[in-house]
Amino acid sequence: MPRVQDTAAGADRPSTLPGPTGWLVTGAAGFIGSHLVARLLGDGHQVTGLDDFSTGSHENLADVERTVGPEAWSRFRLVEGDLRDPAACADGIDGVDVVLHQAAVNSVPRSVLQPDLVTQVNVLGTVRLLEAARQAGVARVVCASSSSVYGDAPGSVRTETSTGRPLSPYAASKQALEAYAAAYAKVTGVPTVCLRYFNVFGSRQNPAGPYSAVIPRWVSATLRGEPVHINGDGASVRDFTHVDNVVEANLRAAQADVDFAAVNVGCGRPTSLVELAAAIRLAAGGTDAPDPVFGPPRPHDVVASVADLTHASTVLGYRPVRDLPTGLAATVPWFTAATLV
């Protein structure tokens, strides 16, 4: 396959993808889903999006339309429906070769408060989608999983061969998603890859609400000149991963020569919460935001989690295309321009 060198990121990537007749992106109006839609349309593909707009937004899709232009946007079809509805899944998957399944209720705290909803969407919804894919005879399925599947596994560096007990209903739902995906791959023969995302961030990520992720919240607070609020002492370590890395991993997974695989998607570099706050302040131009405010640790959080990328490199040929500093440099201006602060 032809490759081009991404000089900004220092990693090579596929220049083009094979041309299947159609792609389905579930959760297309969400943060990650909208980035996948934009990339696929920009690469010249036909794309269907499935979303019920419970967490995604019409503005995300409007931003994609502005980004890709009218000709590319004409190749997008939106199915507004619930992932748990078999008819919506069947409509979305009609004429599709590859499924990029991103739709989910993505929040550990919300899963503790609403375990039934998280189970219904993340598990039952995935089963409904996999069954629609089986009936339609799709060529490949890529599912969004999560680093939360590692649970209480020992150590901070996460390798795909070692998982622990889940620490939240959300983590349990992603473990179940992987189990069903593996079973369907075995039964149907449809190649399936589950991508274990590590702390994804980037443009179009919502900073508001009780379940928003840490980076959009902290970028928004820093740009307003307010302190960031850190749960615990700030020593907790994460593998913060720009959304461009996730897009590349999905497209590589769509071409991977495997029957089934579960693969980490991260940067492979640890960053403490204190270091993250300093990096955000630097990316925001060294603003005079107050020092962080520390509070009690949040229940159900993992102390340390960093992706081992050996398997991802072997199976997908994956390497990160953006590290944390370049990812923040690309993200902060979007929050400023979008007046989300």
Side-chain angles (χ1 to χ4, degrees):
M1 178 182 300
R3 295 181 182 272
V4 293
Q5 182 70 23
D6 185 341
T7 55
D12 58 348
R13 67 180 188 181
S15 57
T16 58
L17 288 162
T21 57
W23 296 68
L24 171 64
V25 178
T26 71
F31 160 47
I32 294 173
S34 65
H35 280 273
L36 286 166
V37 169
R39 172 66 183 272
L40 290 169
L41 291 175
D43 284 352
H45 296 285
Q46 298 283 340
V47 182
T48 297
L50 173 62
D51 207 299
D52 66 357
F53 294 94
S54 57
T55 56
S57 73
H58 289 282
E59 177 52 35
N60 281 347
L61 292 180
D63 194 29
V64 172
E65 182 177 7
R66 289 189 295 268
T67 299
V68 303
E71 188 281 326
W73 185 249
S74 69
R75 289 184 266 101
F76 178 71
R77 179 175 77 97
L78 175 64
V79 175
E80 188 167 348
D82 192 317
L83 188 65
R84 295 166 289 181
D85 179 5
C89 290
D91 186 6
I93 219 160
D94 184 39
V96 162
D97 290 319
V98 179
V99 176
L100 304 181
H101 174 35
Q102 311 299 309
V105 178
N106 290 323
S107 169
V108 167
R110 187 174 184 179
S111 77
V112 174
L113 296 174
Q114 298 177 293
D116 184 69
L117 173 65
V118 170
T119 303
Q120 286 281 321
V121 174
N122 295 2
V123 182
L124 178 61
T126 295
V127 172
R128 294 272 164 82
L129 181 70
L130 291 170
E131 180 60 18
R134 181 190 68 80
Q135 293 181 12
V138 302
R140 187 174 301 272
V141 177
V142 180
C143 294
S145 185
S146 166
S147 61
S148 68
V149 301
Y150 291 109
D152 64 356
S156 60
V157 178
R158 306 308 194 186
T159 59
E160 289 86 348
T161 55
S162 175
T163 58
R165 294 173 299 179
L167 298 179
S168 68
Y170 172 70
S173 77
K174 288 300 185 178
Q175 286 190 351
L177 173 147
E178 290 191 6
Y180 274 105
Y184 264 81
K186 181 69 173 179
V187 170
T188 67
V190 175
T192 304
V193 178
C194 292
L195 300 177
R196 295 174 176 174
Y197 299 160
F198 281 70
N199 298 93
V200 187
F201 71 96
S203 60
R204 303 195 195 105
Q205 197 171 20
N206 185 3
Y211 306 119
S212 59
V214 62
I215 286 184
R217 288 203 320 271
W218 287 9
V219 169
S220 181
T222 300
L223 291 173
R224 291 196 305 265
E226 299 173 355
V228 303
H229 291 264
I230 298 179
N231 298 313
D233 61 6
S236 294
V237 167
R238 296 290 182 271
D239 189 342
F240 296 103
T241 307
H242 189 265
V243 68
D244 284 357
N245 299 320
V246 170
V247 170
E248 289 296 328
N250 272 269
L251 301 191
R252 288 180 178 273
Q255 306 166 75
D257 185 19
V258 294
D259 296 325
F260 175 80
V263 180
N264 289 339
V265 178
C267 284
R269 295 183 180 180
T271 301
S272 73
L273 295 180
V274 169
E275 290 170 335
L276 175 65
I280 289 173
R281 181 180 294 195
L282 180 63
T287 62
D288 295 327
D291 290 336
V293 173
F294 295 87
R298 190 172 67 172
H300 316 292
D301 271 353
V302 176
V303 174
S305 180
V306 181
D308 183 308
L309 300 180
T310 305
H311 191 51
S313 176
T314 301
V315 173
L316 306 183
Y318 166 81
R319 287 192 294 160
V321 298
R322 283 192 189 274
D323 58 13
L324 178 62
T326 59
L328 288 174
T331 300
V332 170
W334 184 89
F335 277 87
T336 304
T339 65
L340 291 177
V341 298

